[in-house]
Amino acid sequence: MEQSIIPKIRNMGIVAHIDAGKTTTSERILFFTGLTHRMGEVHDGQAVMDFMKQEQERGITITSAAITTQWKGHQINLIDTPGHIDFTLEVERSLRVLDGIAMVFCAVGGVEPQSETVWHQADRYKVPRIAFVNKMDRPGADLTQTITMMNEMLGANAIAFQLPIGSEENFKGVIDLVEMKAITYDDLQEIVADIPADLHTEAKKQRDQMIEKLADFDEIIMEKFLEEKEVTADDIRHATRNAVLKLLITPVFCGSAFKNKGVRRLMDAVVDYLPSPIDRGIVLGYDLDKPEITVSRKPSWKEPFSALAFKIINDNYVGQQTFIRVYSGELHAGSYVYNSTKRKKERIGRIMRVHADEREEITELRAGDIGALIGMKFTTTGDTLCDENTAILMENIHYPETVIDMKIAPTSLKERDRLGIALNKMALEDPSFRVRYDNETEETVISGMGELHLEIIVDRLKTEHKVEVAVDKPAVAFRETVVSEIHHDYKFKKQTGGHGQYAHIVFRVEPNPGNGLEFVNHVKGGNIPREYIPAVEKGFRHTMEKGILAGYPMVDVKFTLVDGSFHAVDSSEMAFRTCTEQGLKEGIKKSLAQLLEPIMKIEVNTPDEYMGDIIGDINRRRGHIDNMRRYRKGSQKLAGIVPLMEMFGYASALRTASSGRANYSIEFLKYAPLPKAIEEEIITERAKMKT
């Protein structure tokens, strides 16, 4: 039975740049698959997939919505992801568990900045994909130009599998190059007919080109192509599926989701070309006690249970929902599983099949399924769940760096506890959102991916959690690091009534570019008892969190504990932690640390006549443009880098400079050292705040 069910599962996502039409496409999929009986629209706040109040008000997708539906005997687990760069983690964690994606492009905008980001995220997880060029009915829509951009900018090896019938406002339907049929639309009805005579020559030419490209990846088609034999539709589908699974090509389909054109053919392509869990094959992990040993699981019900938690939502009615992707085995309601990341047992309360904001209670999940668990106590995003007797630890999810800070405070004392609870819940849901409390200034600081990200967080605090808060202006999230290797010997000795406090450590601190914070213990011969080593690590990590120069967290630092000594009576965990914190502050002198600022990738699409002014403005903001390329006739795409601290208010400046005709997108690239003069200003300002 399993062999007939798992191959008919498609775990697929809809991903794209903001405003390419992802959610509208998803809504049409729900309608045509029979899951909904009316079509929700993004512009009127009625989209099923955008069920959060903040999504409906802004007309954008903020959180990934998961939904299960059926198409032609296949179970489709569909995830509609956000397109705004501030919510890139939602895309990241969805791609981690999806088997395939349908990449949506706007036929007018083509490959936009976030299209590139999402494409490269999919590359990281080696996710097979097909493409849907949407909005073919819009003025300026150009399928050929979009395919060219996909090949030049993404290396997509994109191949047209459809041609449009009519253009812009006269767009009527598509020509299916596989079946060589014309599909037009009368309201919701799909009409299949022969290709019109005036389009037949072009369709034949495009089909021959498609077959020629597929011949590079399929011996049967190559043989028929060379012998000039007829290549059947089944030949094309078989070759295309194999090439898509191997990430060799990207089949391109087109339509207008808003006008109900092309979506059903896109769903046919999902079934025909995107992988099932069987196609994606085994999943790899690590042995819990011996990380150097690789462990694998097959996508089978008979294998030991394994799953990855990829998302958490706190719901007012059912409590915390933990979304999981099951890779092997079976999971039953009421059973126990092992969280190998936390090394704790969890009891499964209830299991839900989620339909956006609605839920269907089920009794089990099996290999290939996506569902939500109710009642998890310890599990967070990225954790592995498995059978305790055959444990496996899967690779965690990559979390991006936060770049924006904001001070937040309750408006009254009675709100303080509620604010803390609400912030902790939201940080659990969203690992790209961080909360920290500054003991010196007694302020709570929240950090996120951008201004919109924090704006949504504050809005949710007020509407969902009913907590009234006062917020400061968003500020850049600076970081600190060390610039050279430091060797230090520090002794902490304090005598009070009764037992004293004694700890002695010898350590080395050095830059650790790109590898985060790293603690290494090289103490030999019991000079520091084993039970005190974790206290030294806690002291190191706590000091790194607080910073040395200006109170910003330190990054990319390696701490090596070399030697030390202890006192049989006066030494304690607290003494060694304090010794480490004070030793680090003394050892990392201000001259040996530096401030880092977030540097952003920027892309600006602008008409030619404004290019000089825009480049000049970027230069004045300490940025620079690295390359320019023709975006479309009369327009350029400018790409470069710019410090985030110089970008506040840039949207208004760009509108003014281009008469509202240019647009831009930025995303985090890296942290880089601040110029010395600006660094000194920031350190001085932070010192004033603490006095």
Side-chain angles (χ1 to χ4, degrees):
M1 185 179 178
E2 127 182 16
Q3 298 309 314
S4 64
I5 292 178
I6 299 181
K8 292 195 172 183
I9 295 175
R10 298 289 182 272
N11 291 312
M12 57 90 62
I14 302 285
V15 296
H17 180 85
I18 190 170
D19 205 31
K22 298 178 307 302
T23 300
T24 302
T25 303
S26 298
E27 292 295 324
R28 296 308 185 265
I29 289 172
L30 302 189
F31 178 80
F32 288 122
T33 57
L35 198 64
T36 59
H37 301 290
R38 65 171 182 80
M39 286 179 268
E41 304 295 359
V42 175
H43 61 266
D44 61 15
Q46 297 300 310
V48 175
M49 301 297 273
D50 285 348
F51 56 87
M52 286 173 60
K53 176 178 177 287
Q54 292 77 15
E55 294 175 314
Q56 294 166 353
E57 289 175 348
R58 290 167 176 79
I60 63 170
T61 301
I62 294 168
T63 182
S64 302
I67 202 157
T68 299
T69 186
Q70 302 284 326
W71 183 253
K72 295 190 174 179
H74 289 70
Q75 176 182 312
I76 311 292
N77 297 319
L78 170 67
I79 295 182
D80 171 33
T81 64
H84 197 286
I85 189 64
D86 283 12
F87 307 104
T88 187
L89 176 67
E90 287 291 333
V91 182
E92 185 82 26
R93 58 185 175 185
S94 298
L95 288 172
R96 174 69 177 82
V97 298
L98 290 173
D99 295 327
I101 58 173
M103 188 88 181
V104 180
F105 295 91
C106 172
V108 181
V111 177
E112 299 279 9
Q114 186 65 1
S115 308
E116 294 186 71
T117 301
V118 173
W119 190 271
H120 296 318
Q121 285 176 305
D123 284 341
R124 180 184 299 137
Y125 295 113
K126 295 181 172 57
V127 182
R129 65 213 78 165
I130 60 176
F132 180 64
V133 179
N134 192 27
K135 302 188 178 183
M136 289 297 300
D137 57 324
R138 292 271 298 275
D142 191 332
L143 176 65
T144 303
Q145 172 69 12
T146 301
I147 291 176
T148 300
M149 292 174 76
M150 288 173 65
N151 287 328
E152 290 179 354
M153 298 167 66
L154 304 176
N157 198 10
I159 302 173
F161 272 56
Q162 292 177 342
L163 293 180
I165 299 175
S167 62
E168 300 181 346
E169 68 271 13
N170 295 317
F171 175 67
K172 298 176 181 176
V174 298
I175 293 173
D176 182 343
L177 296 177
V178 178
E179 297 281 357
M180 285 299 278
K181 292 289 183 182
I183 299 102
T184 54
Y185 298 88
D186 180 7
D187 193 17
L188 295 178
Q189 188 176 355
E190 194 177 71
I191 302 165
V192 180
D194 291 333
I195 298 171
D198 59 328
L199 296 175
H200 199 277
T201 301
E202 179 63 19
K204 177 72 168 58
K205 175 186 168 186
Q206 292 291 335
R207 189 178 198 265
D208 289 344
Q209 288 181 5
M210 175 182 71
I211 290 171
E212 185 176 353
K213 289 177 181 177
L214 287 173
D216 292 337
F217 312 111
D218 187 87
E219 291 183 3
I220 293 174
I221 289 186
M222 172 66 81
E223 188 178 315
K224 288 188 174 183
F225 179 73
L226 293 174
E227 295 177 3
E228 297 185 356
K229 292 181 179 178
E230 182 189 354
V231 177
T232 67
D234 285 342
D235 291 336
I236 293 173
R237 276 191 280 266
H238 181 267
T240 301
R241 181 174 182 79
N242 288 337
V244 168
L245 297 186
K246 294 173 183 174
L247 306 180
L248 297 172
I249 65 168
T250 306
V252 180
F253 306 87
C254 64
S256 169
F258 184 64
K259 297 288 180 63
N260 309 312
K261 295 174 181 175
V263 176
R264 281 168 281 195
R265 295 286 158 163
L266 174 65
M267 288 305 295
D268 289 344
V270 166
V271 166
D272 289 341
Y273 305 129
L274 287 185
S276 72
I278 297 287
D279 297 315
R280 289 289 273 168
I282 62 172
V283 61
L284 297 177
Y286 309 97
D287 184 275
L288 208 53
D289 299 315
K290 298 177 181 176
E292 69 277 6
I293 297 177
T294 302
V295 181
S296 64
R297 292 285 183 271
K298 296 176 184 176
S300 166
W301 300 350
K302 298 181 179 69
E303 286 273 300
F305 172 73
S306 67
L308 188 78
F310 69 95
K311 183 178 177 62
I312 289 174
I313 293 178
N314 282 289
D315 186 277
N316 292 331
Y317 299 102
V318 298
Q320 182 175 299
Q321 300 177 78
T322 304
F323 284 76
I324 66 167
R325 158 70 195 267
V326 181
Y327 287 99
S328 62
E330 299 179 331
L331 179 66
H332 299 273
S335 63
Y336 284 87
V337 295
Y338 187 62
N339 182 326
S340 58
T341 308
K342 299 285 195 306
R343 299 195 177 221
K344 292 179 180 288
K345 286 181 73 171
E346 288 265 35
R347 184 180 182 277
I348 308 303
R350 292 186 289 161
I351 302 175
M352 298 286 184
R353 185 89 72 192
V354 179
H355 305 302
D357 61 339
E358 297 180 358
R359 307 161 203 83
E360 170 198 358
E361 188 161 350
I362 57 177
T363 58
E364 63 185 7
L365 289 173
R366 290 170 163 171
D369 281 337
I370 289 178
L373 309 180
I374 312 296
M376 309 296 279
K377 292 181 179 178
F378 310 110
T379 302
T380 55
T381 300
D383 286 0
T384 301
L385 301 177
C386 60
D387 178 78
E388 187 174 10
N389 297 321
T390 52
I392 183 175
L393 183 62
M394 296 180 194
E395 182 184 349
N396 208 316
I397 295 170
H398 169 76
Y399 301 138
E401 285 284 344
T402 57
V403 295
I404 291 281
D405 287 347
M406 181 188 283
K407 293 174 187 172
I408 189 168
T411 54
S412 63
L413 284 175
K414 70 176 184 178
E415 298 280 297
R416 183 181 295 171
D417 290 342
R418 293 177 61 218
L419 174 62
I421 293 169
L423 288 175
N424 286 335
K425 280 185 178 179
M426 294 171 80
L428 190 66
E429 289 181 15
D430 180 1
S432 68
F433 168 62
R434 316 268 166 81
V435 183
R436 72 177 188 274
Y437 184 74
D438 190 322
N439 287 311
E440 292 184 29
T441 61
E442 297 185 339
E443 293 172 324
T444 299
V445 180
I446 59 176
S447 304
M449 298 298 298
E451 292 181 79
L452 178 62
H453 189 193
L454 294 187
E455 180 189 321
I456 298 294
I457 292 289
V458 172
D459 194 15
R460 290 184 61 197
L461 281 171
K462 294 176 179 178
T463 56
E464 286 180 31
H465 298 279
K466 312 299 182 194
V467 179
E468 286 301 318
V469 293
V471 297
D472 211 339
K473 289 182 180 178
V476 174
F478 296 105
R479 295 289 183 265
E480 301 179 18
T481 195
V482 294
V483 295
S484 59
E485 190 173 302
I486 304 145
H487 294 258
H488 199 59
D489 185 322
Y490 188 78
K491 191 174 288 184
F492 173 64
K493 194 172 183 180
K494 190 173 181 182
Q495 194 62 47
T496 56
H499 291 311
Q501 293 186 60
Y502 178 90
H504 171 218
I505 61 172
V506 181
F507 63 89
R508 181 175 70 247
V509 170
E510 59 194 302
N512 197 28
N515 294 312
L517 299 179
E518 186 177 352
F519 177 86
V520 179
N521 174 30
H522 276 175
V523 175
K524 299 287 192 297
N527 289 351
I528 299 176
R530 224 148 101 210
E531 60 265 29
Y532 295 145
I533 302 299
V536 176
E537 182 173 1
K538 282 181 184 175
F540 159 65
R541 295 193 180 278
H542 184 257
T543 305
M544 294 299 98
E545 188 181 317
K546 296 299 179 185
I548 300 292
L549 274 178
Y552 292 106
M554 300 196 81
V555 296
D556 294 344
V557 177
K558 183 177 181 179
F559 177 98
T560 304
L561 182 60
V562 178
D563 203 356
S565 62
F566 74 104
H567 188 279
V569 176
D570 292 346
S571 289
S572 64
E573 288 186 13
M574 182 56 71
F576 271 96
R577 177 169 174 170
T578 305
C579 177
T580 306
E581 291 174 0
Q582 293 184 1
L584 278 165
K585 287 174 184 174
E586 182 182 280
I588 306 175
K589 298 180 178 65
K590 298 206 175 207
S591 60
L592 298 173
Q594 68 181 181
L595 274 184
L596 305 174
E597 64 174 335
I599 303 296
M600 314 299 285
K601 283 197 299 185
I602 182 169
E603 286 202 359
V604 183
N605 300 326
T606 176
D608 291 342
E609 59 262 38
Y610 306 115
M611 197 167 65
D613 290 341
I614 289 171
I615 292 174
D617 186 46
I618 292 289
N619 291 338
R620 284 190 292 274
R621 295 172 185 269
R622 295 193 290 120
H624 57 83
I625 296 299
D626 295 323
N627 63 70
M628 296 173 274
R629 58 176 176 253
R630 179 65 58 190
Y631 178 51
R632 57 184 65 255
K633 188 176 180 181
S635 296
Q636 294 281 346
K637 184 185 286 286
L638 311 177
I641 62 173
V642 63
L644 177 63
M645 71 179 295
E646 306 291 347
M647 291 301 289
F648 291 102
Y650 183 68
S652 298
L654 184 64
R655 275 197 301 270
T656 302
S658 66
S659 302
R661 295 174 63 195
N663 60 74
Y664 80 104
S665 173
I666 61 172
E667 65 174 290
F668 174 73
L669 175 63
K670 63 181 180 180
Y671 272 95
L674 268 164
K676 211 65 188 170
I678 299 176
E679 180 183 80
E680 288 170 4
E681 283 179 25
I682 291 169
I683 292 171
T684 303
E685 189 63 33
R686 292 281 287 185
K688 286 179 184 176
M689 290 167 56
K690 293 181 179 180
T691 57

